[in-house]
Amino acid sequence: MIRSAVTIALVPQLTSGPWIFWEDLELGMKKAAALGFDGIELFTASADAIDPDHLAELLEKYQLQLAAVGTGAGKVLHGWTLTDPDPEIRKKAISFISDMISFGAKFGAPAIIGSMQGSFGLGTGARLAHGFQHFCEGLDQLGEKAKQEGVFLLVEPLNRYETSGFNYLFAFDNFQPFLKTRNVKVLADLFHMNIEEDNLAQAILDYGKYIGHVHFADSNRKPMGLGHTDMKPIAAALKEIGYDGFVSAEAFPIPSPDEAAEQTIREFRKWFK
Ligand SMILES: [Mn+2]
């Protein structure tokens, strides 16, 4: 069954970004539950930003699942990535994501590697080769860590303006043979895909076996339905591949967080119920 989720951003240093609810964990969860969302996706400053017992109580209270946890704060707040040329920084990136994997795994939720992949395609050929090698090493280590914790690891292709690394679903087909771990799945973010894929629905059909999570946002990263993405063939493709994970609203809180959440759940029901 395809499940709905909505993002909650809890990083005080950030005041804008593609997240629906902000600042207040319980209020966001209360609103998500009232609208009928199945789960929440969290973007926090670190793995210890939320007391796991408190989160467990709130998930129980509001009957919500934890869909996924973002790790991008490692880059945004500290400048750490898995492909930094400096081995000390790579180590910090791995440690940060590793802690986030453990936190999410307490609730059966995977961690997402998006911006923490860095931008390893830039620069000379040697830099690219090293970056790619570091990327694979990081995914191997973290993929196996996630496996020990009983969850999979998500890696997300981002559009060309956010990384020169992993940009398309099909690229995973190319680099997966270089990975030792088989515990990595791909996050299909409809906003990034709208920029990079030739055809969103076809990419989902072709690489559906890798997809473990979906980010639900329109072509302009507003809530679905407020841009020009054609959801009909995309929803049909997700059903055809038997996708049964979360479709999670990682979109701008436009026109307001409450309206963005309402718009999202309306669209979710239109396409997936
Ligand atoms: Mn995303």
Side-chain angles (χ1 to χ4, degrees):
M1 192 183 68
I2 299 178
R3 287 159 286 165
S4 59
V6 63
T7 46
I8 306 178
L10 299 168
V11 180
Q13 294 92 328
L14 294 182
T15 53
S16 68
W19 300 288
I20 303 286
F21 290 128
W22 292 77
E23 291 172 28
D24 189 324
L25 175 64
E26 176 156 11
L27 185 60
M29 292 178 74
K30 190 177 175 182
K31 289 179 172 183
L35 288 169
F37 280 96
D38 300 305
I40 53 160
E41 178 177 322
L42 291 177
F43 189 79
T44 61
S46 66
D48 56 9
I50 300 174
D51 171 25
D53 293 336
H54 179 55
L55 180 59
E57 275 171 34
L58 293 177
L59 290 168
E60 174 67 26
K61 180 175 175 184
Y62 294 108
Q63 288 295 295
L64 290 165
Q65 292 171 275
L66 185 61
V69 291
T71 65
K75 177 170 187 243
V76 178
L77 301 183
H78 307 286
W80 302 331
T81 73
L82 293 178
T83 56
D84 195 282
D86 181 344
E88 287 307 311
I89 293 190
R90 295 201 297 277
K91 219 186 256 180
K92 285 177 178 168
I94 291 213
S95 163
F96 184 87
I97 297 168
S98 186
D99 290 346
M100 205 61 97
I101 288 170
S102 300
F103 173 73
K106 291 187 171 77
F107 307 95
I112 300 166
I113 296 175
S115 59
M116 287 295 275
Q117 67 183 273
S119 210
F120 54 94
L122 284 176
T124 64
R127 171 80 187 93
L128 170 61
H130 284 139
F132 181 71
Q133 191 189 332
H134 298 321
F135 183 51
C136 291
E137 283 167 6
L139 291 184
D140 276 336
Q141 200 173 327
L142 294 165
E144 289 306 292
K145 158 83 183 174
K147 192 176 173 188
Q148 285 165 18
E149 302 263 7
V151 287
F152 55 84
L153 178 69
L154 285 166
V155 59
E156 177 174 12
L158 306 177
N159 73 70
R160 67 189 73 181
Y161 308 108
E162 298 186 34
T163 181
S164 59
F166 182 23
N167 296 128
Y168 328 90
L169 294 195
F170 87 80
F172 191 70
D173 221 25
N174 292 338
F175 74 71
Q176 202 217 23
F178 293 93
L179 296 179
K180 294 183 188 81
T181 183
R182 286 292 169 269
N183 194 40
V184 177
K185 291 191 183 187
V186 170
L187 196 167
D189 180 309
L190 302 181
F191 163 75
H192 294 302
M193 288 176 71
N194 172 67
I195 295 171
E196 298 299 345
E197 304 289 346
D198 296 344
N199 179 312
L200 279 76
Q202 194 58 49
I204 289 167
L205 293 174
D206 290 346
Y207 304 104
K209 63 182 171 184
Y210 300 132
I211 298 176
H213 196 73
V214 173
H215 274 162
F216 197 46
D218 215 315
S219 53
N220 45 13
R221 212 159 191 170
K222 290 180 182 177
M224 188 55 74
L226 302 183
H228 57 72
T229 293
D230 182 6
M231 259 312 289
K232 193 173 179 180
I234 296 170
L238 286 168
K239 285 175 194 161
E240 190 169 332
I241 63 166
Y243 179 68
D244 70 348
F246 283 96
V247 168
S248 182
E250 190 193 51
F252 291 130
I254 291 174
S256 69
D258 289 355
E259 288 165 289
E262 285 162 22
Q263 172 71 22
T264 293
I265 199 71
R266 225 178 2 249
E267 284 286 314
F268 178 84
R269 292 196 174 115
K270 178 174 167 186
W271 299 113
F272 300 111
K273 288 287 165 192

